[in-house]
Amino acid sequence: MGQVLRDRVRNLHRPNRREFLQSAGAAAIAALVLDMTAIDRHNVVVEQCTLRIRRLPAAFHGLRIAQISDFHHHGYAEDYYLRQVVEKVNALQPAVVAMTGDFITAHGNPFGPWRKAMPVCAEILSGLRAPLRVCSLGNHDCIDIAFVTHCLTERGLTVLRNSYTAIEAANERLWIAGLADAYFDFPDLEQAIPRATEREPVLLLGHEPDFADTVKAYGGVDVMLAGHSHGGQVRVPGITPAFLPVMGRRYVRGLFQLDDLQLYVNRGIGAVHLPIRFRCPPEITLFTLEPAA
């Protein structure tokens, strides 16, 4: 009798095969959710990229440019997380920080919570340390272009909206240009792109990467930096990325050579729709400029 009781007690703690598989499956799902929401979403990767430019003056050989994009502050980018991104960028010691839009997440309400988040976002980004800190705006920023621009410029950040500026060294110039958002605003390439000489390369900031086809046809640009696509945000092998917005579906992430135009698409810092990333971590890109062979 005692042995029977001992066996029954022992069996109470021994799950059958079905129960074991259910428990293992639940644990795997919980681990995956934790990975997507808390780990991958904050696991910022620094991608190193050499841009070889045909008409790059010697004064700019080795120039370092950091790109960050798609912050979506108030959406799924917390204050502490954005400050960590700023620290990571500063540790790279770039000469230029290029920010390619979507500073906040806005869904059609011009007086929504994003309005309180935008000044905080600008204050945090003002901690970036570089001689030149330039911004173009994204589709979410078009909820109130004047207000977003004011918040950024008030903190000493330069907003390029169909306009340009130049870096000068040893009597040479490198042009940094910026487009108005191609989805909700009115990009004007004639205003945005300077009439550069043969020895004055042009680097263009523009939020939507698929607009690069129009930039390529227009000409006069060596490099275009974009964001918008988030790299797909959720990338399951063999399946099309889940979060690809309009004008971010042809060129999703990384470096593309489009005739004479080099396009780089940054995966972004934040997230949209859901606070998840999977196999597509947030990105800081560090470019080094070198002459083409």
Side-chain angles (χ1 to χ4, degrees):
M1 185 66 178
Q3 182 62 44
V4 172
L5 287 174
R6 283 194 294 272
D7 289 343
R8 288 180 178 177
V9 170
R10 192 160 44 241
N11 288 336
L12 287 175
H13 302 283
R14 183 184 298 166
N16 60 35
R17 185 173 182 274
R18 181 179 178 182
E19 290 171 336
F20 174 79
L21 291 175
Q22 288 176 338
S23 298
I29 292 171
L32 180 61
V33 171
L34 176 66
D35 183 56
M36 291 192 298
T37 58
I39 299 175
D40 272 9
R41 187 166 69 85
H42 294 125
N43 182 28
V44 181
V45 174
V46 177
E47 302 285 3
Q48 306 267 355
C49 180
T50 299
L51 295 175
R52 303 192 182 279
I53 299 175
R54 176 180 55 82
R55 50 181 179 171
L56 186 71
F60 302 112
H61 292 185
L63 186 81
R64 290 152 64 93
I65 298 174
Q67 181 194 8
I68 43 180
S69 190
D70 296 88
F71 309 93
H72 290 282
H73 190 244
H74 174 70
Y76 301 118
E78 304 88 344
D79 290 4
Y80 80 88
Y81 169 53
L82 199 53
R83 293 186 194 280
Q84 289 176 352
V85 171
V86 168
E87 290 176 3
K88 286 179 179 288
V89 173
N90 288 341
L92 300 173
Q93 299 182 313
V96 179
V97 178
M99 293 164 270
T100 44
D102 275 2
F103 293 91
I104 42 86
T105 297
H107 295 295
N109 181 358
F111 302 103
W114 69 267
R115 205 167 189 89
K116 292 183 179 179
M118 184 60 225
V120 178
C121 178
E123 180 272 322
I124 295 172
L125 293 176
S126 70
L128 291 163
R129 295 192 298 272
L132 182 61
R133 303 168 301 174
V134 289
C135 314
S136 63
L137 302 186
N139 53 296
H140 282 261
D141 306 321
C142 291
I143 188 75
D144 191 332
I145 292 171
F147 180 71
V148 172
T149 300
H150 169 75
C151 290
L152 294 169
T153 55
E154 186 180 44
R155 290 291 182 174
L157 306 174
T158 300
V159 177
L160 298 174
R161 179 172 171 246
N162 292 334
S163 59
Y164 50 81
T165 188
I167 306 173
E168 298 189 15
N171 295 319
E172 303 280 8
R173 287 190 296 193
L174 168 67
W175 294 98
I176 309 290
L179 279 172
D181 180 72
Y183 193 63
F184 283 127
D185 201 0
F186 300 96
D188 187 327
L189 290 168
E190 187 172 352
Q191 288 188 31
I193 299 173
R195 291 176 175 81
T197 68
E198 179 62 24
R199 292 292 295 170
E200 295 179 346
V202 177
L203 188 150
L204 177 68
L205 312 185
H207 185 66
E208 287 85 2
D210 291 358
F211 194 72
D213 290 331
T214 302
V215 174
K216 178 188 71 172
Y218 185 86
V221 176
D222 297 89
V223 176
M224 178 176 171
L225 304 183
H228 187 54
S229 70
H230 296 207
Q233 194 167 306
V234 174
R235 301 186 66 88
V236 179
I239 299 176
T240 301
F243 297 93
L244 288 180
V246 174
M247 300 190 74
R249 296 171 180 169
R250 182 188 296 270
Y251 307 112
V252 176
R253 62 175 181 168
L255 184 64
F256 300 87
Q257 186 71 51
L258 310 177
D259 296 337
D260 293 333
L261 174 67
Q262 295 181 78
L263 167 68
Y264 192 91
V265 186
N266 181 288
R267 296 190 300 268
I269 293 299
V272 292
H273 305 303
L274 293 171
I276 60 174
R277 278 184 178 265
F278 182 66
R279 296 174 62 89
C280 188
E283 172 181 1
I284 297 167
T285 319
L286 182 66
F287 301 102
T288 302
L289 306 190
E290 297 291 349

